[in-house]
Amino acid sequence: MAQISLSRRLRRTPFSDGVEAAGVKGYTVYNRMLLPTVFESVEADYRHLKTHVQVWDVSCERQVELRGPDAARLMQMLTPRDLRRMLPGQCFYVPIVDETGGMLNDPVAVKLSEDRWWISIADSDLLLWVKGIANGYRLDVLVDEPDVSPLAIQGPKADDLLARVFGDRVRDIRFFKFDKFEFEGRELAIARSGYSKQGGFEIYVEGSDIGMPLWSALFAAGEDLHVRAGCPNLIERIEGGLLSYGNDMTDDNTPHECGLGKFCNTHTAIGCIGRDALLRVAKEGPVQQIRPIAIDGEAVPSCDRPWPVVAAGKRIGQITSAAWSPDFDTNVSIGMVKLSHWEPGTRIEVEAPDGMRGATVRDKFWI
């Protein structure tokens, strides 16, 4: 594959020096930023993540900040999840939809106060959509991208590592909650969250200048914990059913098609721009939906484009993420399948790059 040419348009991060020193072997482009994809190998990184602790540069999860009297109103306009009971100090996973109910992003909303929110976004230009809504409705709110770069600490030893740097109080943070901790005179929000099923935290590093000092402090504190630089792992995220916006779902899909209906309180999310469209979807039900699919045979090739899913010679869906799982001894995958073939146990065929493969729809993801 041709090399990606670096330029100022492809932004480095506050942690890029540390990532490069750690021997990164691959990147992808995410929100016009560098996101590491592999260090030793995908399988070796996977095994280490499940055993020890990793520090991930996920600065590409850019923040869209809403600040002002209408911040909460604007946040509710963006999502069909009812936010009325959300308190400062909480994080909510929120589908963001357009006027048709199509998915624009699937970020984490961070409520700092009643009039200040961060939206920690997946890979799309959500900032422009939010600015457009705010200006079109003449809301009293400032929408901007602050100098905030998330750093994820993931793996079974994540609590031990962060306790050494920030104190034992960090262990008290509950899932999808955050608290404030001091580092070099700076107050940082630390949330128990992250893009893996291995447990851990995300540190919202406010101020690029302390990025590398924090990176270095974590590695110095975790040497005996076998801390390593890491990144979101393809195998582990598929096993856990963690969806990738722009890959497993796009604006052509509704939250219900993506299995995110439980995050849609459509009847009570008053003000959501896509509410009317989603009320119809909720009533009628989706005609296709994301499913975990086990693919037969030896390790599949890299899935860099959708693979057709067929039954009786007719296309009934597509595979969008796939990888060999060493722990489950099968090819794990995420696919969008039509209603007629999404029941667990249904046998289907996948048109992989190396030929047709048998496959089975599962009732749940692997972890």
Side-chain angles (χ1 to χ4, degrees):
M1 185 175 179
Q3 183 179 359
I4 296 175
S5 298
L6 303 182
S7 72
R8 186 182 177 190
R9 289 180 292 104
L10 182 53
R11 299 181 291 177
R12 290 171 62 81
T13 84
F15 315 106
S16 288
D17 289 345
V19 167
E20 290 165 1
V24 64
K25 290 182 179 176
Y27 286 108
T28 189
V29 180
Y30 196 104
N31 283 325
R32 296 183 297 282
M33 277 192 129
L34 293 168
L35 171 63
T37 55
V38 61
F39 283 84
E40 184 178 348
S41 71
V42 175
E43 285 201 12
D45 294 350
Y46 161 88
R47 179 61 52 224
H48 182 273
L49 171 62
K50 287 190 166 187
T51 308
H52 299 295
V53 59
Q54 295 181 355
V55 179
W56 295 0
D57 176 5
V58 286
S59 303
C60 62
E61 295 173 0
R62 302 313 297 162
Q63 307 305 298
V64 175
E65 182 169 3
L66 315 182
R67 190 167 70 250
D70 287 334
R73 179 188 172 193
L74 175 56
M75 190 68 237
Q76 187 64 83
M77 293 175 75
L78 301 173
T79 179
R81 184 166 185 179
D82 190 341
L83 305 178
R84 289 178 298 174
R85 295 184 179 180
M86 186 177 180
L87 301 173
Q90 287 187 298
C91 309
F92 273 18
Y93 180 69
V94 290
I96 302 288
V97 298
D98 63 15
E99 73 283 358
T100 70
M103 292 281 294
L104 293 179
N105 209 280
D106 68 325
V108 172
V110 180
K111 187 172 183 178
L112 299 162
S113 65
E114 293 298 333
D115 61 356
R116 190 181 181 209
W117 300 64
W118 286 338
I119 310 174
S120 191
I121 66 172
D123 187 20
S124 78
D125 289 315
L126 192 68
L127 176 66
L128 305 180
W129 170 259
V130 179
K131 278 182 173 286
I133 298 301
N135 282 279
Y137 282 86
R138 299 184 180 276
L139 301 181
D140 186 4
V141 60
L142 175 66
V143 179
D144 203 359
E145 181 184 302
D147 182 16
V148 175
S149 300
L151 188 67
I153 316 301
Q154 300 290 294
K157 300 177 183 177
D159 281 64
D160 293 337
L161 177 57
L162 275 205
R164 294 180 182 184
V165 177
F166 294 99
D168 279 334
R169 185 167 61 90
V170 79
R171 300 179 188 272
D172 298 331
I173 304 174
R174 296 170 61 191
F175 186 60
F176 262 51
K177 301 282 180 63
F178 71 89
D179 204 345
K180 296 292 187 71
F181 295 82
E182 186 176 304
F183 180 79
E184 293 195 351
R186 200 79 55 83
E187 196 173 54
L188 305 178
I190 301 181
R192 190 176 288 277
S193 59
Y195 197 54
S196 85
K197 291 288 188 175
Q198 304 311 309
F201 303 86
E202 289 179 298
I203 308 172
Y204 291 84
V205 182
E206 195 167 2
S208 297
D209 58 306
I210 62 168
M212 280 311 299
L214 176 57
W215 178 279
S216 299
L218 289 164
F219 277 85
E223 187 173 351
D224 63 317
L225 299 176
H226 304 286
V227 63
R228 255 187 47 183
C231 53
N233 185 270
L234 176 67
I235 306 169
E236 197 269 350
R237 84 157 180 88
I238 298 173
E239 289 177 350
L242 299 176
L243 306 183
S244 170
Y245 183 79
N247 194 51
D248 302 313
M249 53 186 168
T250 70
D251 59 1
D252 289 330
N253 303 118
T254 67
H256 297 81
E257 290 179 337
C258 303
L260 303 177
K262 62 184 178 181
F263 299 110
C264 297
N265 315 110
T266 318
H267 289 282
T268 58
I270 307 300
C272 172
I273 286 174
R275 181 170 178 263
D276 289 346
L278 289 179
L279 282 170
R280 292 192 296 273
V281 171
K283 182 178 179 180
E284 297 168 3
V287 297
Q288 60 178 358
Q289 199 167 62
I290 279 178
R291 285 290 186 269
I293 298 171
I295 303 176
D296 300 345
E298 298 180 351
V300 291
S302 175
C303 182
D304 63 351
R305 64 206 66 189
W307 298 345
V309 174
V310 298
K314 294 183 179 180
R315 181 164 179 162
I316 50 91
Q318 62 182 19
I319 300 293
T320 49
S321 296
W324 173 259
S325 167
D327 281 0
F328 294 97
D329 197 32
T330 188
N331 292 295
V332 295
S333 74
I334 298 172
M336 186 78 73
V337 183
K338 289 185 177 179
L339 169 65
S340 56
H341 290 79
W342 76 30
E343 284 299 312
T346 302
R347 288 291 292 173
I348 53 180
E349 288 187 293
V350 175
E351 191 177 323
D354 59 355
M356 298 298 290
R357 302 276 194 114
T360 305
V361 178
R362 287 175 53 87
D363 61 335
K364 61 182 179 180
F365 284 94
W366 290 262
I367 56 175

